[in-house]
Amino acid sequence: MVEKTVESSSGMAPETGGGTRPQRLSQVRSAEGRRLTLGLPEFDRVLGGGLVPGSLVLLGGDPGIGKSTLLLQVALRLAEYGQEVLYVAAEESPEQIKLRADRLGSVSDGVVVLPETALDRVLETAEELRPTMIVVDSIQTVYLTALESSPGSVSQLRDCTAQLLRFAKQTATPIFLVGHVTKEGLIAGPRVVEHMVDVVLYLEGERFYQHRILRAVKNRFGSTNEIGVFEMTDSGLRDVGNPSELFLAERVRDAPGSAVVVALEGTRPILIEVQALTSPAGYGTPRRVATGFDATRLQLLVAVLTKHAGLRLADQDVFVNVTGGIRLVEPAADLGVALAIASSASGIPLDPTAVYIGELGLAGEVRGVHALERRLQEAARLGFERAFVPASSRVASLSAELRLIPISSLAEAVSALAAQAVRSRQNGSELSPG
Ligand code: TYD
Ligand code: MG
């Protein structure tokens, strides 16, 4: 609960002068062709193919995740192309910004830093300067002098955003707002203004991983499914054009409990390693712990494994970890997760050259997934040789290198795992003399 003081004046006087007139939809000019390319392909992708003029974009994220870095990088990139960007530094001094720019290896004349927290003056400057783009870092530290409440309060946040929105639309200037995700306290979070802006992006990442994921939560100009993957380096964020390779880089092949699944993030399939570990439980209820995977879904998979594949997990703790700090939300990963658990429980490694795609039903059946072909293409591209796919799906093999193995039930997949163990044991005995 946040107290909201009702101000006497909201500072929103009706516009005078020309005003607006109704237009026929057929005569409205489309802004599509005029998107601004930001020079970071992953960022452009998340925006839906570049920044639309006059759009108000909120970039949220935990403190220290790299929001300022990302936006300064974009500003510097635009400046390199000869554009002018107004960077409103409401949190940091120009010296700090300069230090960061030095780190990013580019200091350009085109970036104008304005150390100002009073939004009225920010808008005056913007009016004079008419930059190509404006960055307000952050929306929680700027304030309107007309309001009595303190910066970061709900009413300041709303009214500041409204003013910036008006400026963006009137002048067709794209504006980025930085918003820190706050857990509690007097500073309102970026959620408060999500409904007002055109695009809501969140920069996510785990503290101990170098990569960051840019996710669109709302996008009036594109899909909200796309993600952008970046890597935090010593000189700023770097585009990761090929996330699958990044997420599979540290995979331990031939270790029990590891499976590669193909998750679809927007239009892009990404290969991700899932690890599972089962170990004898102590007293009481055995634990089912998931990192990067839904805990309820894990319990369901454990139940299906117990009931339909004959696994004895009642006295085992089950841990599932999606590597690289990714969150797997798609049911298409079920088969891979279940088999990783079966693999750990039996001590038999899964085929390291295979990917596992399929949703599991409560009857232990493997159900179809959407966009199977796209997932298979990515698996083939990364050199995988076999793909376990739902038997119900009608997909012909895409390439000679990737063999499809149709699977209709979890029981079938688990017995295939056991058969594979027998095969590799036989191969092993052929190799060892005697
Ligand atoms: P920052 O952009 O200040 O985060 P936010 O604005 O979201 O609070 O990023 C801060 C972190 O990024 C800080 O821990 C240092 C790190 N960093 C790098 O690793 N490399 C770099 O080139 C830069 C500029 C920052
Ligand atoms: Mg910052």
Short mmCIF file of all heavy atoms in Angstrom, two decimals, residues 134-189:
data_model
loop_
_atom_site.label_atom_id
_atom_site.label_comp_id
_atom_site.label_asym_id
_atom_site.label_seq_id
_atom_site.Cartn_x
_atom_site.Cartn_y
_atom_site.Cartn_z
N ILE A 134 16.02 10.96 -26.19
CA ILE A 134 16.25 11.43 -24.81
C ILE A 134 16.30 10.21 -23.89
O ILE A 134 15.53 9.27 -24.05
CB ILE A 134 15.12 12.37 -24.34
CG1 ILE A 134 15.02 13.60 -25.26
CG2 ILE A 134 15.35 12.81 -22.90
CD1 ILE A 134 13.85 14.50 -24.96
N VAL A 135 17.25 10.25 -22.96
CA VAL A 135 17.30 9.20 -21.93
C VAL A 135 17.09 9.88 -20.58
O VAL A 135 17.79 10.84 -20.26
CB VAL A 135 18.68 8.49 -21.94
CG1 VAL A 135 18.76 7.49 -20.80
CG2 VAL A 135 18.92 7.79 -23.27
N VAL A 136 16.14 9.41 -19.82
CA VAL A 136 15.93 9.95 -18.47
C VAL A 136 16.34 8.87 -17.47
O VAL A 136 15.69 7.85 -17.34
CB VAL A 136 14.45 10.35 -18.25
CG1 VAL A 136 14.27 10.89 -16.83
CG2 VAL A 136 14.00 11.38 -19.27
N ASP A 137 17.45 9.12 -16.81
CA ASP A 137 18.03 8.12 -15.90
C ASP A 137 18.08 8.72 -14.49
O ASP A 137 18.96 9.48 -14.16
CB ASP A 137 19.45 7.79 -16.39
CG ASP A 137 20.05 6.60 -15.65
OD1 ASP A 137 19.40 6.08 -14.74
OD2 ASP A 137 21.17 6.22 -16.01
N SER A 138 17.17 8.44 -13.64
CA SER A 138 16.02 7.57 -13.81
C SER A 138 14.73 8.35 -13.57
O SER A 138 14.77 9.45 -13.03
CB SER A 138 16.09 6.44 -12.77
OG SER A 138 15.92 7.00 -11.48
N ILE A 139 13.62 7.73 -13.90
CA ILE A 139 12.32 8.38 -13.75
C ILE A 139 11.99 8.55 -12.26
O ILE A 139 11.21 9.41 -11.87
CB ILE A 139 11.21 7.58 -14.49
CG1 ILE A 139 9.87 8.33 -14.52
CG2 ILE A 139 11.03 6.20 -13.91
CD1 ILE A 139 9.85 9.57 -15.34
N GLN A 140 12.65 7.76 -11.41
CA GLN A 140 12.34 7.84 -9.98
C GLN A 140 13.06 8.97 -9.27
O GLN A 140 12.80 9.25 -8.11
CB GLN A 140 12.69 6.51 -9.31
CG GLN A 140 11.65 5.45 -9.59
CD GLN A 140 12.27 4.11 -9.93
OE1 GLN A 140 13.29 4.06 -10.61
NE2 GLN A 140 11.67 3.04 -9.49
N THR A 141 14.00 9.61 -9.97
CA THR A 141 14.73 10.70 -9.31
C THR A 141 14.37 12.07 -9.86
O THR A 141 14.84 13.08 -9.35
CB THR A 141 16.26 10.49 -9.41
OG1 THR A 141 16.55 10.03 -10.73
CG2 THR A 141 16.74 9.48 -8.41
N VAL A 142 13.56 12.12 -10.91
CA VAL A 142 13.14 13.43 -11.41
C VAL A 142 11.82 13.82 -10.73
O VAL A 142 11.09 12.97 -10.22
CB VAL A 142 12.98 13.46 -12.95
CG1 VAL A 142 14.32 13.32 -13.62
CG2 VAL A 142 12.01 12.40 -13.41
N TYR A 143 11.54 15.11 -10.71
CA TYR A 143 10.30 15.57 -10.08
C TYR A 143 9.77 16.81 -10.77
O TYR A 143 10.51 17.53 -11.43
CB TYR A 143 10.54 15.85 -8.59
CG TYR A 143 11.46 17.03 -8.36
CD1 TYR A 143 10.95 18.30 -8.11
CD2 TYR A 143 12.83 16.87 -8.42
CE1 TYR A 143 11.79 19.38 -7.93
CE2 TYR A 143 13.69 17.94 -8.24
CZ TYR A 143 13.16 19.20 -7.99
OH TYR A 143 13.99 20.26 -7.84
N LEU A 144 8.49 17.02 -10.61
CA LEU A 144 7.86 18.24 -11.11
C LEU A 144 7.72 19.21 -9.95
O LEU A 144 7.24 18.82 -8.88
CB LEU A 144 6.47 17.91 -11.68
CG LEU A 144 6.46 17.29 -13.08
CD1 LEU A 144 5.09 16.69 -13.37
CD2 LEU A 144 6.81 18.32 -14.13
N THR A 145 8.12 20.44 -10.15
CA THR A 145 8.10 21.39 -9.04
C THR A 145 6.67 21.71 -8.60
O THR A 145 6.45 22.10 -7.46
CB THR A 145 8.82 22.69 -9.45
OG1 THR A 145 8.47 23.00 -10.80
CG2 THR A 145 10.31 22.55 -9.34
N ALA A 146 5.72 21.54 -9.50
CA ALA A 146 4.33 21.87 -9.16
C ALA A 146 3.75 20.91 -8.12
O ALA A 146 2.77 21.23 -7.46
CB ALA A 146 3.48 21.86 -10.41
N LEU A 147 4.33 19.73 -8.02
CA LEU A 147 3.79 18.75 -7.07
C LEU A 147 4.54 18.83 -5.75
O LEU A 147 5.73 19.10 -5.71
CB LEU A 147 3.94 17.34 -7.64
CG LEU A 147 3.27 17.03 -8.97
CD1 LEU A 147 3.34 15.54 -9.24
CD2 LEU A 147 1.83 17.50 -9.00
N GLU A 148 3.79 18.57 -4.69
CA GLU A 148 4.43 18.67 -3.37
C GLU A 148 5.10 17.37 -2.96
O GLU A 148 5.98 17.37 -2.13
CB GLU A 148 3.38 19.06 -2.32
CG GLU A 148 3.16 20.56 -2.27
CD GLU A 148 1.91 20.91 -1.50
OE1 GLU A 148 1.43 20.06 -0.71
OE2 GLU A 148 1.39 22.01 -1.72
N SER A 149 4.67 16.27 -3.52
CA SER A 149 5.24 15.00 -3.08
C SER A 149 6.69 14.85 -3.53
O SER A 149 7.15 15.52 -4.44
CB SER A 149 4.39 13.84 -3.60
OG SER A 149 4.13 14.03 -4.97
N SER A 150 7.38 13.93 -2.87
CA SER A 150 8.81 13.80 -3.11
C SER A 150 9.08 12.96 -4.36
O SER A 150 8.23 12.17 -4.79
CB SER A 150 9.47 13.16 -1.90
OG SER A 150 8.83 11.95 -1.62
N PRO A 151 10.27 13.13 -4.95
CA PRO A 151 10.62 12.33 -6.14
C PRO A 151 10.50 10.84 -5.82
O PRO A 151 10.83 10.42 -4.72
CB PRO A 151 12.08 12.70 -6.41
CG PRO A 151 12.30 13.99 -5.71
CD PRO A 151 11.35 14.04 -4.56
N GLY A 152 10.03 10.07 -6.76
CA GLY A 152 9.92 8.64 -6.55
C GLY A 152 8.57 8.22 -5.99
O GLY A 152 8.27 7.04 -5.94
N SER A 153 7.75 9.20 -5.59
CA SER A 153 6.42 8.83 -5.10
C SER A 153 5.53 8.51 -6.30
O SER A 153 5.84 8.86 -7.43
CB SER A 153 5.83 9.98 -4.30
OG SER A 153 5.64 11.09 -5.15
N VAL A 154 4.44 7.84 -6.02
CA VAL A 154 3.56 7.41 -7.10
C VAL A 154 3.08 8.59 -7.94
O VAL A 154 3.12 8.56 -9.17
CB VAL A 154 2.36 6.62 -6.53
CG1 VAL A 154 1.36 6.30 -7.63
CG2 VAL A 154 2.83 5.34 -5.87
N SER A 155 2.68 9.67 -7.26
CA SER A 155 2.13 10.79 -8.04
C SER A 155 3.21 11.48 -8.87
O SER A 155 2.97 11.86 -10.02
CB SER A 155 1.42 11.78 -7.13
OG SER A 155 2.25 12.12 -6.05
N GLN A 156 4.42 11.61 -8.33
CA GLN A 156 5.51 12.21 -9.12
C GLN A 156 5.81 11.34 -10.35
O GLN A 156 5.96 11.83 -11.45
CB GLN A 156 6.78 12.34 -8.28
CG GLN A 156 6.80 13.53 -7.33
CD GLN A 156 7.02 14.87 -8.03
OE1 GLN A 156 7.06 14.95 -9.26
NE2 GLN A 156 7.15 15.93 -7.25
N LEU A 157 5.88 10.05 -10.10
CA LEU A 157 6.23 9.12 -11.17
C LEU A 157 5.20 9.21 -12.30
O LEU A 157 5.55 9.32 -13.48
CB LEU A 157 6.23 7.70 -10.59
CG LEU A 157 7.39 6.82 -11.00
CD1 LEU A 157 8.68 7.41 -10.52
CD2 LEU A 157 7.23 5.42 -10.41
N ARG A 158 3.93 9.21 -11.92
CA ARG A 158 2.86 9.25 -12.91
C ARG A 158 2.88 10.55 -13.68
O ARG A 158 2.79 10.55 -14.91
CB ARG A 158 1.51 9.14 -12.20
CG ARG A 158 1.27 7.76 -11.65
CD ARG A 158 -0.12 7.27 -12.01
NE ARG A 158 -0.22 5.85 -11.70
CZ ARG A 158 -0.91 5.38 -10.66
NH1 ARG A 158 -1.58 6.19 -9.88
NH2 ARG A 158 -0.92 4.08 -10.44
N ASP A 159 2.97 11.66 -12.96
CA ASP A 159 2.88 12.95 -13.64
C ASP A 159 4.12 13.25 -14.47
O ASP A 159 4.02 13.82 -15.55
CB ASP A 159 2.58 14.06 -12.63
CG ASP A 159 1.14 13.97 -12.13
OD1 ASP A 159 0.42 13.08 -12.62
OD2 ASP A 159 0.74 14.77 -11.27
N CYS A 160 5.27 12.85 -13.98
CA CYS A 160 6.50 13.05 -14.77
C CYS A 160 6.39 12.25 -16.06
O CYS A 160 6.72 12.74 -17.14
CB CYS A 160 7.73 12.60 -13.99
SG CYS A 160 8.18 13.73 -12.68
N THR A 161 5.93 11.01 -15.94
CA THR A 161 5.80 10.17 -17.13
C THR A 161 4.81 10.78 -18.11
O THR A 161 5.04 10.80 -19.32
CB THR A 161 5.37 8.74 -16.73
OG1 THR A 161 6.29 8.27 -15.76
CG2 THR A 161 5.37 7.81 -17.92
N ALA A 162 3.71 11.31 -17.56
CA ALA A 162 2.69 11.92 -18.43
C ALA A 162 3.28 13.10 -19.19
O ALA A 162 3.02 13.27 -20.39
CB ALA A 162 1.50 12.36 -17.60
N GLN A 163 4.09 13.92 -18.50
CA GLN A 163 4.70 15.07 -19.17
C GLN A 163 5.65 14.63 -20.27
O GLN A 163 5.68 15.20 -21.35
CB GLN A 163 5.49 15.90 -18.14
CG GLN A 163 4.63 16.58 -17.10
CD GLN A 163 4.02 17.88 -17.61
OE1 GLN A 163 4.53 18.47 -18.56
NE2 GLN A 163 2.93 18.29 -17.02
N LEU A 164 6.43 13.60 -19.96
CA LEU A 164 7.39 13.11 -20.95
C LEU A 164 6.67 12.48 -22.12
O LEU A 164 7.09 12.61 -23.27
CB LEU A 164 8.35 12.11 -20.29
CG LEU A 164 9.38 12.77 -19.38
CD1 LEU A 164 10.01 11.75 -18.44
CD2 LEU A 164 10.46 13.47 -20.19
N LEU A 165 5.57 11.80 -21.81
CA LEU A 165 4.77 11.18 -22.87
C LEU A 165 4.27 12.25 -23.83
O LEU A 165 4.34 12.11 -25.05
CB LEU A 165 3.59 10.43 -22.25
CG LEU A 165 2.67 9.70 -23.21
CD1 LEU A 165 3.40 8.54 -23.86
CD2 LEU A 165 1.44 9.17 -22.49
N ARG A 166 3.79 13.34 -23.24
CA ARG A 166 3.27 14.44 -24.06
C ARG A 166 4.38 14.99 -24.97
O ARG A 166 4.18 15.20 -26.16
CB ARG A 166 2.72 15.52 -23.14
CG ARG A 166 2.08 16.67 -23.85
CD ARG A 166 0.67 16.94 -23.37
NE ARG A 166 0.63 17.31 -21.96
CZ ARG A 166 0.43 18.58 -21.55
NH1 ARG A 166 0.29 19.55 -22.42
NH2 ARG A 166 0.38 18.85 -20.28
N PHE A 167 5.55 15.17 -24.36
CA PHE A 167 6.66 15.71 -25.15
C PHE A 167 7.05 14.75 -26.28
O PHE A 167 7.27 15.15 -27.41
CB PHE A 167 7.88 15.97 -24.25
CG PHE A 167 9.02 16.61 -24.98
CD1 PHE A 167 9.09 17.98 -25.13
CD2 PHE A 167 10.03 15.83 -25.54
CE1 PHE A 167 10.13 18.58 -25.82
CE2 PHE A 167 11.08 16.43 -26.23
CZ PHE A 167 11.13 17.80 -26.37
N ALA A 168 7.09 13.46 -25.95
CA ALA A 168 7.48 12.47 -26.95
C ALA A 168 6.51 12.49 -28.13
O ALA A 168 6.94 12.48 -29.30
CB ALA A 168 7.51 11.08 -26.32
N LYS A 169 5.23 12.53 -27.83
CA LYS A 169 4.23 12.47 -28.91
C LYS A 169 4.22 13.77 -29.72
O LYS A 169 4.09 13.74 -30.95
CB LYS A 169 2.84 12.21 -28.34
CG LYS A 169 2.71 10.92 -27.59
CD LYS A 169 2.98 9.70 -28.47
CE LYS A 169 3.23 8.47 -27.61
NZ LYS A 169 3.87 7.37 -28.29
N GLN A 170 4.33 14.90 -29.03
CA GLN A 170 4.26 16.17 -29.75
C GLN A 170 5.45 16.40 -30.67
O GLN A 170 5.32 16.99 -31.73
CB GLN A 170 4.16 17.33 -28.75
CG GLN A 170 2.74 17.54 -28.26
CD GLN A 170 2.67 18.58 -27.17
OE1 GLN A 170 3.69 19.09 -26.71
NE2 GLN A 170 1.46 18.88 -26.74
N THR A 171 6.63 15.94 -30.22
CA THR A 171 7.83 16.25 -30.99
C THR A 171 8.36 15.03 -31.74
O THR A 171 9.39 15.12 -32.41
CB THR A 171 8.95 16.74 -30.05
OG1 THR A 171 9.23 15.68 -29.13
CG2 THR A 171 8.53 17.98 -29.30
N ALA A 172 7.69 13.89 -31.62
CA ALA A 172 8.12 12.64 -32.24
C ALA A 172 9.53 12.24 -31.80
O ALA A 172 10.29 11.63 -32.54
CB ALA A 172 8.04 12.72 -33.76
N THR A 173 9.86 12.60 -30.55
CA THR A 173 11.18 12.23 -30.02
C THR A 173 11.03 10.95 -29.19
O THR A 173 10.21 10.91 -28.28
CB THR A 173 11.71 13.34 -29.08
OG1 THR A 173 11.53 14.59 -29.71
CG2 THR A 173 13.16 13.12 -28.72
N PRO A 174 11.80 9.92 -29.49
CA PRO A 174 11.74 8.74 -28.63
C PRO A 174 12.41 9.03 -27.29
O PRO A 174 13.45 9.69 -27.24
CB PRO A 174 12.51 7.69 -29.41
CG PRO A 174 13.33 8.43 -30.40
CD PRO A 174 12.72 9.77 -30.62
N ILE A 175 11.80 8.56 -26.21
CA ILE A 175 12.35 8.79 -24.88
C ILE A 175 12.47 7.46 -24.14
O ILE A 175 11.55 6.66 -24.11
CB ILE A 175 11.45 9.75 -24.05
CG1 ILE A 175 11.27 11.08 -24.79
CG2 ILE A 175 12.04 9.98 -22.67
CD1 ILE A 175 10.41 12.10 -24.05
N PHE A 176 13.64 7.25 -23.55
CA PHE A 176 13.86 6.09 -22.69
C PHE A 176 13.76 6.52 -21.24
O PHE A 176 14.38 7.51 -20.85
CB PHE A 176 15.25 5.50 -22.92
CG PHE A 176 15.34 4.57 -24.09
CD1 PHE A 176 15.94 4.97 -25.26
CD2 PHE A 176 14.82 3.29 -24.00
CE1 PHE A 176 16.02 4.11 -26.36
CE2 PHE A 176 14.89 2.42 -25.08
CZ PHE A 176 15.49 2.83 -26.26
N LEU A 177 13.02 5.78 -20.46
CA LEU A 177 12.96 6.03 -19.02
C LEU A 177 13.62 4.85 -18.32
O LEU A 177 13.29 3.71 -18.61
CB LEU A 177 11.51 6.12 -18.54
CG LEU A 177 10.56 7.05 -19.27
CD1 LEU A 177 9.18 6.94 -18.65
CD2 LEU A 177 11.07 8.47 -19.19
N VAL A 178 14.52 5.15 -17.40
CA VAL A 178 15.10 4.08 -16.59
C VAL A 178 14.28 3.96 -15.33
O VAL A 178 13.92 4.97 -14.73
CB VAL A 178 16.57 4.41 -16.24
CG1 VAL A 178 17.11 3.42 -15.22
CG2 VAL A 178 17.43 4.40 -17.50
N GLY A 179 13.93 2.76 -14.96
CA GLY A 179 13.18 2.55 -13.72
C GLY A 179 13.79 1.43 -12.91
O GLY A 179 13.96 0.32 -13.40
N HIS A 180 14.15 1.75 -11.67
CA HIS A 180 14.73 0.70 -10.82
C HIS A 180 13.62 -0.13 -10.22
O HIS A 180 12.65 0.41 -9.72
CB HIS A 180 15.54 1.30 -9.69
CG HIS A 180 16.75 2.04 -10.16
ND1 HIS A 180 17.81 1.40 -10.74
CD2 HIS A 180 17.05 3.34 -10.17
CE1 HIS A 180 18.72 2.29 -11.08
NE2 HIS A 180 18.28 3.49 -10.75
N VAL A 181 13.80 -1.41 -10.25
CA VAL A 181 12.85 -2.27 -9.56
C VAL A 181 13.13 -2.14 -8.08
O VAL A 181 14.25 -2.32 -7.63
CB VAL A 181 13.03 -3.74 -10.02
CG1 VAL A 181 12.18 -4.65 -9.17
CG2 VAL A 181 12.68 -3.88 -11.47
N THR A 182 12.10 -1.76 -7.34
CA THR A 182 12.29 -1.58 -5.90
C THR A 182 11.49 -2.63 -5.17
O THR A 182 10.40 -3.00 -5.59
CB THR A 182 11.81 -0.20 -5.46
OG1 THR A 182 10.49 -0.01 -5.95
CG2 THR A 182 12.70 0.89 -6.00
N LYS A 183 12.04 -3.11 -4.10
CA LYS A 183 11.36 -4.16 -3.35
C LYS A 183 10.29 -3.54 -2.46
O LYS A 183 9.21 -4.04 -2.32
CB LYS A 183 12.38 -4.94 -2.52
CG LYS A 183 13.39 -5.69 -3.37
CD LYS A 183 12.82 -7.00 -3.90
CE LYS A 183 13.84 -7.72 -4.76
NZ LYS A 183 13.96 -7.16 -6.11
N GLU A 184 10.61 -2.46 -1.80
CA GLU A 184 9.66 -1.85 -0.87
C GLU A 184 10.10 -0.43 -0.63
O GLU A 184 11.00 0.07 -1.29
CB GLU A 184 9.68 -2.63 0.45
CG GLU A 184 11.03 -2.63 1.11
CD GLU A 184 11.23 -3.86 1.98
OE1 GLU A 184 11.48 -4.94 1.42
OE2 GLU A 184 11.13 -3.72 3.19
N GLY A 185 9.45 0.22 0.29
CA GLY A 185 9.91 1.55 0.69
C GLY A 185 9.18 2.66 0.00
O GLY A 185 8.11 2.48 -0.56
N LEU A 186 9.78 3.83 0.03
CA LEU A 186 9.09 5.04 -0.40
C LEU A 186 9.17 5.26 -1.90
O LEU A 186 8.44 6.05 -2.45
CB LEU A 186 9.68 6.25 0.32
CG LEU A 186 9.46 6.24 1.84
CD1 LEU A 186 10.27 7.32 2.51
CD2 LEU A 186 7.99 6.39 2.15
N ILE A 187 10.09 4.58 -2.56
CA ILE A 187 10.24 4.78 -3.99
C ILE A 187 9.32 3.80 -4.72
O ILE A 187 9.42 2.60 -4.52
CB ILE A 187 11.69 4.53 -4.44
CG1 ILE A 187 12.67 5.28 -3.55
CG2 ILE A 187 11.88 4.86 -5.89
CD1 ILE A 187 12.87 6.72 -3.88
N ALA A 188 8.45 4.33 -5.55
CA ALA A 188 7.55 3.45 -6.30
C ALA A 188 8.31 2.77 -7.43
O ALA A 188 9.29 3.30 -7.93
CB ALA A 188 6.40 4.27 -6.87
N GLY A 189 7.87 1.60 -7.80
CA GLY A 189 8.57 0.84 -8.83
C GLY A 189 8.10 1.20 -10.22
O GLY A 189 7.13 1.94 -10.38
#
